């Protein structure tokens, strides 16, 4: 359980397939984000698309999770359950897609993004763009011989410098034939600490970044996790493969996400620092 799997080239090729479907699903669902759509409708669209691609939604019935995708709105950190809630102008929503492919003896791919519904507030732009960049910084720390703590340290240092906090209670994870495997990948920590990364390992990086404090509050449904202070929370996730040169982002997208990274403010947030952008408007 504690041992970390190093994938063979054949297994890596199969990971690329499941991750490609997950990435395509995220791009597809991004184009469907709009006010008045329910999170349950997003769930159905993801479910049907996944099955049409020959995959299966890994989250459905996972430890009893009742739906095929997680939809986490505003102060929901993660594991939001799709339902009758209608997205509203100004909301932010993370859609977390995990795909199993093929259905037998297959591999999982896990990726998520936070989308803007209509016109976001400055606060929403800040937390979303900080979390987007946190994932990029985490990915940049991955290479053969680096350590797990290098990823968390890079993310924490930047998030806190932007006045945000890093969720402690949920972390990235090894992924492959199992949805959640060793190692854990915290999005906080100290450089040059923790396990050493090795070429052939596959895991997720999925920083959950809060505008307020990092404390979590589990709702009575047993799944939905909100910020304790009800501040906004945003998250982005990729599945990565450690390589000799650095890493391969297995859930990299063929197209930019609609309602997220194609927004002019999102682009500005990446070119300068999100804080600089927020301060200049
Ligand atoms: N996809 C989530 C992750 O990134 C896990 C969701 S578990 C579920 O690890 F059961 F809520 F779907
Ligand atoms: Co994950
Ligand atoms: Co996920």
């Amino acid at each position: 359980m504690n041992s970390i799997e190093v994938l063979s080239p054949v297994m890596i090729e199969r990971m690329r397939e499941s991750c490609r479907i997950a990435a395509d699903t995220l791009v597809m669902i991004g184009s469907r984000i709009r006010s008045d759509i329910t999170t349950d409708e997003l769930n159905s669209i993801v479910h049907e698309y996944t099955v049409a691609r020959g995959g299966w939604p890994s989250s459905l019935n996972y430890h009893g999770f009742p739906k095929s995708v997680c939809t986490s709105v505003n102060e929901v950190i993660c594991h939001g359950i799709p339902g009758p809630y209608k997205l509203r102008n100004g909301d932010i929503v993370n859609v977390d897609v995990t795909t199993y492919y093929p259905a037998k003896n297959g591999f999982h791919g896990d990726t998520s993004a936070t989308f803007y519904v209509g016109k976001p507030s400055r606060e929403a732009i800040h937390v979303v763009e900080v979390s987007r960049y946190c994932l990029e910084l985490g990915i940049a720390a991955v290479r053969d011989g680096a350590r797990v703590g290098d990823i968390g340290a890079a993310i924490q240092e930047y998030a806190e410098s932007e006045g945000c906090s890093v969720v402690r209670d949920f972390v990235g994870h090894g992924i492959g034939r199992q949805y959640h495997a060793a190692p854990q990948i915290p999005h906080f920590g100290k450089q040059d600490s923790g396990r050493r990364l090795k070429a052939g390992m596959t895991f997720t990086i999925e920083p959950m970044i809060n505008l307020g404090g990092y404390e979590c509050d589990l709702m009575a449904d047993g799944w939905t996790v909100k910020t304790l202070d009800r501040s906004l929370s945003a998250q982005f996730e990729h599945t990565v493969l450690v390589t000799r040169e650095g890493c391969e982002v297995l859930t990299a997208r063929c197209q930019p996400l609609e309602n997220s990274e194609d927004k002019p403010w999102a682009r500005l947030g990446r070119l300068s620092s999100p804080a600089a952008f927020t301060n200049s408007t």
Side-chain angles (χ1 to χ4, degrees):
M1 187 192 140
N2 214 25
S3 72
I4 303 173
E5 190 165 40
V6 170
L7 274 65
S8 69
V10 173
M11 292 159 80
I12 289 168
E13 201 41 58
R14 295 177 68 185
M15 270 300 278
R16 287 196 183 101
E17 293 171 348
S18 60
C19 288
R20 167 58 53 84
I21 300 173
D24 290 350
T25 307
L26 193 64
V27 168
M28 180 279 303
I29 204 65
S31 74
R32 307 297 297 269
I33 301 291
R34 55 169 173 78
S35 54
D36 286 338
I37 195 166
T38 67
T39 52
D40 226 352
E41 289 175 276
L42 296 176
N43 178 75
S44 301
I45 296 166
V46 165
H47 186 95
E48 278 156 34
Y49 180 89
T50 304
V51 170
R53 289 286 299 264
W56 188 255
S58 309
S59 295
L60 184 58
N61 297 321
Y62 180 74
H63 293 284
F65 189 77
K67 297 283 177 171
S68 300
V69 70
C70 298
T71 51
S72 301
V73 180
N74 296 336
E75 72 280 4
V76 178
I77 295 172
C78 62
H79 304 167
I81 304 173
Y85 178 79
K86 283 188 164 120
L87 295 178
R88 297 171 50 179
N89 181 40
D91 282 349
I92 56 173
V93 57
N94 174 277
V95 181
D96 191 337
V97 170
T98 316
T99 311
Y100 188 57
Y101 181 83
K104 219 165 108 189
N105 293 324
F107 287 78
H108 299 269
D110 193 3
T111 186
S112 85
T114 301
F115 298 94
Y116 296 112
V117 183
K119 188 173 161 22
S121 66
R122 283 168 44 160
E123 289 72 25
I125 295 168
H126 187 68
V127 72
V128 170
E129 296 311 317
V130 169
S131 66
R132 191 194 312 274
Y133 197 59
C134 281
L135 174 55
E136 290 188 30
L137 289 171
I139 291 169
V142 176
R143 59 177 170 76
D144 185 79
R147 300 176 75 166
V148 164
D150 298 340
I151 299 170
I155 291 170
Q156 182 179 13
E157 199 240 343
Y158 173 69
E160 292 179 356
S161 79
E162 292 289 353
C164 295
S165 67
V166 178
V167 169
R168 309 289 203 259
D169 295 3
F170 299 89
V171 296
H173 49 92
I175 183 168
R177 285 182 289 199
Q178 277 181 278
Y179 189 166
H180 291 105
Q184 295 197 1
I185 309 289
H187 306 106
F188 57 94
K190 298 261 172 290
Q191 238 181 328
D192 215 31
S193 72
R195 291 178 185 240
R196 230 169 254 289
L197 305 178
K198 232 182 120 184
M201 287 180 182
T202 50
F203 55 81
T204 72
I205 306 176
E206 48 181 297
M208 284 146 273
I209 304 298
N210 299 348
L211 209 46
Y214 60 73
E215 296 86 356
C216 296
D217 189 11
L218 179 65
M219 298 296 99
D221 62 22
W223 284 105
T224 308
V225 179
K226 293 187 178 181
T227 53
L228 186 62
D229 60 13
R230 300 297 188 261
S231 65
L232 291 176
S233 184
Q235 179 181 26
F236 288 82
E237 173 175 27
H238 273 307
T239 299
V240 304
L241 165 73
V242 183
T243 63
R244 300 302 284 269
E245 302 78 32
C247 84
E248 181 179 326
V249 179
L250 297 173
T251 46
R253 295 180 274 278
C254 300
Q255 305 166 50
L257 295 171
E258 286 178 51
N259 299 300
S260 190
E261 57 200 359
D262 68 332
K263 293 288 188 193
W265 51 74
R267 231 177 269 131
L268 278 167
R270 277 206 309 274
L271 287 175
S272 56
S273 90
F277 176 60
T278 302
N279 292 342
S280 69
T281 52

